Amino acid sequence: DADVTQTPRNRITKTGKRIMLECSQTKGHDRMYWYRQDPGLGLRLIYYSFDVKDINKGEISDGYSVSRQAQAKFSLSLESAIPNQTALYFCATSRGGGRELFFGEGSRLTVL
Amino acid sequence: DQQVKQNSPSLSVQEGRISILNCDYTNSMFDYFLWYKKYPAEGPTFLISISSIKDKNEDGRFTVFLNKSAKHLSLHIVPSQPGDSAVYFCAATLGNTGGFKTIFGAGTRLFVKA
């Protein structure tokens, strides 16, 4: 079983709909991240959290919000999805002080 | 402005030969560099890293070289195997208060032909 689990793995939705992507981890890491991958642009940071009371904006946070419900759970919401949010989304974790990121398997979102 | 650049979108190599993946960066404050490997339908996984105070790090078939004066690093895979076919992301980190910020390159897709 994956240490970092993302649901759903694939989602097709329409413009204007609210979407939530969920992430849970069993690694016991404090730090959690949401990244977005687009062709030719690599992975870009959307939001990150260092503990349940800590939420920080990343490079491309506009149009997104997050919730850290528990140490093991970090969800990403698109309040009103738009087509340019079509992308592959990755949740990741890291140990406090560690530089290595541990990624989930990804959630492919298509906004029509 | 991309601070970490992988200028080759793809690379094709014969099995048994050397694969060299390149990465350039612009921010001299980066203090640590990592390579991640990604197979289709999977998340990226950590492969190898190097601190900015070193110029080489080796792990089995994988070696990363860092040239700070040129702001350039490279990943060498010797010998290349078909199972190495994947997308490779170069990443750089900035020490920051309370944590680390990781900047990724766009990735290079490696094809190793049998």
Side-chain angles (χ1 to χ4, degrees), chain A residues 9 31 33 35 37-45 48 50 59 88 90 96-106, chain B residues 2 31-32 34 36 38 41-46 87 89 93-107:
Chain A
R9 295 291 312 277
R31 301 180 180 186
Y33 310 79
Y35 283 90
Q37 183 190 358
D38 296 279
L41 294 177
L43 291 92
R44 293 180 293 167
L45 183 62
Y48 61 102
F50 288 160
E59 181 186 357
L88 186 55
F90 288 102
R99 299 175 188 266
E100 180 184 345
L101 294 166
F102 298 83
F103 287 89
E105 295 178 316
Chain B
Q2 287 188 291
D31 57 353
Y32 212 80
L34 307 93
Y36 288 84
K38 183 187 178 304
E42 295 184 11
T45 56
F46 169 75
V87 176
F89 290 101
T93 67
L94 281 164
N96 203 355
T97 56
F100 301 104
K101 181 178 180 180
T102 303
I103 309 296
F104 286 86

Side-chain angles (χ1 to χ4, degrees), chain A residues 12-18 80-85 110-112:
Chain A
I12 300 174
T13 190
K14 294 182 178 180
T15 297
K17 294 292 187 180
R18 184 178 187 273
S80 180
I82 57 177
N84 76 1
Q85 292 178 313
T110 303
V111 184
L112 301 176

